[in-house]
Amino acid sequence: MNRVDARAAVTEAHHEEWARVVAALTRRFGDLHIAEEAAAEAFTTAVERWPADGVPPNPGAWLTTTANRKAIDRIRRENKRDDKHKEAQMLHDDSPPEPLGAIDDDRLRLIFTCCHPALAMEARVALTLRMVGGLTVSEISRAFLVAESAMGQRITRAKAKIKAARIPYRVPSADDLPARVSGVLAVLFLVFNEGYLASGPDTDPVRHDLTAEAIRLARLIRALLPDDGEVAGLLALMLLTEARRPARISAGGELVALDEQDRGAWDAELIAEGHWLVRERLAAAAAGVAPGRYQILAAINAVHTSARDICDTDWSQVLALYDQLVRLDPSPIIALNRAVAVAELDGPEVALAIVDRLAEALVGYHAYHATRADLLRRLGRSQQSRAAYDKAIDLAGNTAETAYLTRRRDQLR
């Protein structure tokens, strides 16, 4: 096997096995830092060994065994004065497996474990994206719109707090699930978003492995908590977004905007399932159950996927849903997305005034500059539009999005 094939196998194994390896080591050693470091060392060893030795028949088992040995070596180095009996226990772990409890999926169990209420919500999400999603600190920092160094410190502090507070890595009981589910949903939402349009230049523009895993885990949570409206809302949102993936990237590798997509290429089955979930939540709302953030986002996507053509989109309904969402989540990104609907109803000049008020909060966010560039283009202010496109291109990490923005900029007169 050549080095390129072996590296591809390691990359695939990282996507498939990272969370399982970390989960297995966390259960055995009770230390998230050791689990992460040993897993990373195991993958480094795979990069070195697999080109020469070949890819093992069971990459996951090979990686878990190697990571266990790395963890034991690390513990030995850090605890040289420990007695031989304790060392032997680490080498030969014959203890029966821990009961699975309410969750029988390794990755989902690890997500719920990392989303402990003792941690701040942002720390829970960032830590779980790193441990379970396998995302790099750089990818996570872009998702949070913060500096990479700050995100690295946040993750380090979260792990340190878990160790200092002796937070147990036990399987959560059924009673624990409702208190932790909001953090879990936030994690899955960010994992899905990273897959649907990757933020880095060194990955595929669309990572189906991440979107598929996020949907799989959301289905499991839906089975665990069938009456939770936000779980249903997030699953619907993912399905309706994933349905558009086949039309998302052109044959030339360029992002295709919603108004240019071939709607015949959308996945009709995913759309039908997503619409069914949205209708279910609308019925609950009619009965007096107020919808949450993910349910409203799913409803917005249901409007978009109901239109046969961009011209058929019910923008007044989209705006009404955004008005409802802003009351729940008055974030600048929601306000930016709302401005797009305003532009369709009240014109680009009204929308531009809204967008310009978001400058300070979103100056480092490429979508802010891309939205502004499009509004300026529609107003005929080509020179200002070009400058805004330039800023968006500088900030956009995804190659497909960069190609799209470059073409739009170059079409200006």
Side-chain angles (χ1 to χ4, degrees), residues 37-159:
E37 293 295 317
E41 289 179 20
F43 279 97
T44 300
T45 303
V47 171
E48 297 167 353
R49 296 261 304 271
W50 289 7
D53 301 346
V55 177
N58 188 334
W62 187 97
L63 288 162
T64 301
T65 300
T66 302
N68 268 290
R69 290 172 181 161
K70 299 289 185 183
I72 291 170
D73 290 343
R74 175 180 289 271
I75 292 171
R76 280 173 171 169
R77 290 194 302 269
E78 295 176 357
N79 300 278
K80 290 182 179 179
R81 288 175 291 185
D82 281 0
D83 59 59
K84 295 293 182 181
H85 177 68
K86 185 174 181 180
E87 185 174 296
Q89 281 185 321
M90 289 188 299
L91 282 167
H92 305 288
D93 182 12
D94 296 325
S95 58
E98 185 179 344
L100 292 179
I103 307 172
D104 61 1
D105 180 87
D106 261 354
R107 296 191 192 190
L108 190 58
R109 292 169 65 219
L110 185 57
I111 290 177
F112 271 106
T113 301
C114 287
C115 289
H116 197 281
L119 298 175
M121 180 60 75
E122 286 190 343
R124 293 184 222 173
V125 174
L127 181 64
T128 314
L129 286 173
R130 177 76 194 106
M131 297 298 105
V132 183
L135 272 64
T136 66
V137 175
S138 177
E139 290 170 333
I140 299 168
S141 65
R142 284 194 290 267
F144 278 88
L145 302 180
V146 300
E148 185 174 341
S149 58
M151 182 53 64
Q153 291 171 0
R154 185 180 297 174
I155 293 172
T156 299
R157 285 195 299 269
K159 289 190 291 186

Side-chain angles (χ1 to χ4, degrees), residues 49-309:
R49 296 261 304 271
W50 289 7
D53 301 346
V55 177
N58 188 334
W62 187 97
L63 288 162
T64 301
T65 300
T66 302
N68 268 290
R69 290 172 181 161
K70 299 289 185 183
I72 291 170
D73 290 343
R74 175 180 289 271
I75 292 171
R76 280 173 171 169
R77 290 194 302 269
E78 295 176 357
N79 300 278
K80 290 182 179 179
R81 288 175 291 185
D82 281 0
D83 59 59
K84 295 293 182 181
H85 177 68
K86 185 174 181 180
E87 185 174 296
Q89 281 185 321
M90 289 188 299
L91 282 167
H92 305 288
D93 182 12
D94 296 325
S95 58
E98 185 179 344
L100 292 179
I103 307 172
D104 61 1
D105 180 87
D106 261 354
R107 296 191 192 190
L108 190 58
R109 292 169 65 219
L110 185 57
I111 290 177
F112 271 106
T113 301
C114 287
C115 289
H116 197 281
L119 298 175
M121 180 60 75
E122 286 190 343
R124 293 184 222 173
V125 174
L127 181 64
T128 314
L129 286 173
R130 177 76 194 106
M131 297 298 105
V132 183
L135 272 64
T136 66
V137 175
S138 177
E139 290 170 333
I140 299 168
S141 65
R142 284 194 290 267
F144 278 88
L145 302 180
V146 300
E148 185 174 341
S149 58
M151 182 53 64
Q153 291 171 0
R154 185 180 297 174
I155 293 172
T156 299
R157 285 195 299 269
K159 289 190 291 186
K161 181 171 183 179
I162 285 173
K163 188 171 184 178
R166 298 184 180 274
I167 294 172
Y169 281 87
R170 64 178 178 81
V171 178
S173 68
D175 293 338
D176 291 328
L177 301 185
R180 300 193 192 184
V181 73
S182 59
V184 173
L185 297 183
V187 168
L188 295 185
F189 186 48
L190 288 176
V191 170
F192 181 87
N193 284 344
E194 179 63 27
Y196 190 65
L197 189 61
S199 59
D202 52 351
T203 62
D204 291 334
V206 174
R207 295 179 57 182
H208 179 56
D209 61 302
L210 291 182
T211 60
E213 181 65 4
I215 290 172
R216 185 184 76 85
L217 294 173
R219 289 190 188 281
L220 286 176
I221 299 173
R222 166 86 169 149
L224 288 169
L225 301 169
D227 297 325
D228 190 301
E230 282 293 81
V231 173
L234 180 59
L235 178 57
L237 173 60
M238 289 180 178
L239 294 174
L240 294 173
T241 307
E242 177 71 1
R244 303 199 301 268
R245 182 174 56 83
R248 180 73 162 162
I249 305 295
S250 71
E254 180 182 316
L255 176 72
V256 181
L258 180 63
D259 60 338
E260 298 176 337
Q261 287 180 12
D262 174 11
R263 300 187 175 216
W266 290 356
D267 189 317
E269 288 188 10
L270 292 182
I271 290 175
E273 184 181 358
H275 283 184
W276 181 84
L277 287 168
V278 170
R279 287 194 298 271
E280 177 190 88
R281 298 319 309 163
L282 288 175
V289 181
R293 178 172 181 262
Y294 297 121
Q295 294 169 73
I296 298 173
L297 285 170
I300 291 170
N301 276 266
V303 175
H304 285 302
T305 50
S306 295
R308 294 185 178 181
D309 186 86

